[in-house]
Amino acid sequence: MGDAPVLSRLRIAYSDSLVESWLEIQLYDLAEFSGCKEKQSEAQRQETARLIITNFHYLKVTELMYFFQLFKSGTFGKFYGVVDGLAIMESLRKFLSIRLDEITKAERERLDAEKAERMATWAKEAITREEYEELKWLFNMGYEKGVHVKSFK
């Protein structure tokens, strides 16, 4: 929900290689954390990073950081013997569902807050039914149209 840049914006502002390097570091860290004996080769990490950039260019850096945190916490299962680029890509697709739920929840909360604000404003400006009943006779006499009773001397 924050203002962190998306991958495609980073590619424009910096370079493909910088974004790719950052992702490779995240992938390497994930592999080290997993404790698997067989790690991705550098070429496999590069290809996985490129695939992430290509397929998930609209994700914010913070969202990807959150994804890697969830992966490390076991949300998407674990690697079996080898760090697998396909498992990472599949997990990213599952992450999109979590992301959508979070975005939907935040949007609902934002709309609820806006509605509450509108209701508070309305409550300040509106009159009660009792006040309306007391003032109704003025409207019936034409005061809302600018017709006023003239005083006679």
Side-chain angles (χ1 to χ4, degrees), residues 13 85 92 146:
L92 268 166

Side-chain angles (χ1 to χ4, degrees), residues 119-126:
M119 294 298 285
T121 301
W122 177 81
K124 287 180 197 174
E125 297 172 358

Side-chain angles (χ1 to χ4, degrees), residues 36 39 43 54 56 59 66-67 75 88-89 92-93 106 109 112 123 125 135 145 150:
C36 288
K39 311 287 193 251
T54 301
F56 303 100
L59 290 177
Y66 183 52
F67 163 75
T75 302
I88 293 168
M89 298 303 289
L92 268 166
R93 297 209 184 282
E109 288 172 358
D112 288 347
E125 297 172 358
L135 297 173
K145 297 177 187 158
K150 295 181 181 178

Side-chain angles (χ1 to χ4, degrees), residues 6-108:
V6 296
L7 290 179
S8 58
R9 174 92 40 179
L10 285 177
R11 290 174 67 195
I12 294 167
Y14 298 101
S15 67
D16 286 345
S17 62
L18 180 88
V19 176
E20 191 176 308
S21 294
W22 180 79
L23 277 167
E24 286 177 43
I25 291 168
Q26 304 309 310
L27 293 167
Y28 180 81
D29 184 60
L30 178 62
E32 287 298 310
F33 181 84
S34 74
C36 288
K37 289 181 175 66
E38 287 188 52
K39 311 287 193 251
Q40 283 184 311
S41 68
E42 187 175 337
Q44 289 172 317
R45 272 195 314 276
Q46 288 174 346
E47 184 62 22
T48 304
R50 284 187 202 114
L51 284 169
I52 291 171
I53 292 167
T54 301
N55 291 290
F56 303 100
H57 58 88
Y58 51 87
L59 290 177
K60 296 177 182 181
V61 173
T62 50
E63 290 174 318
L64 284 165
M65 292 168 68
Y66 183 52
F67 163 75
F68 285 111
Q69 185 70 27
L70 289 175
F71 206 115
K72 288 178 184 178
S73 68
T75 302
F76 304 112
K78 62 181 183 174
F79 296 116
Y80 294 97
V82 64
V83 175
D84 184 1
L86 288 173
I88 293 168
M89 298 303 289
E90 182 181 332
S91 296
L92 268 166
R93 297 209 184 282
K94 290 177 184 173
F95 172 74
L96 293 180
S97 177
I98 293 169
R99 177 181 178 262
L100 178 60
D101 291 344
E102 291 293 325
I103 290 171
T104 302
K105 179 183 171 189
E107 182 66 11
R108 191 176 309 116

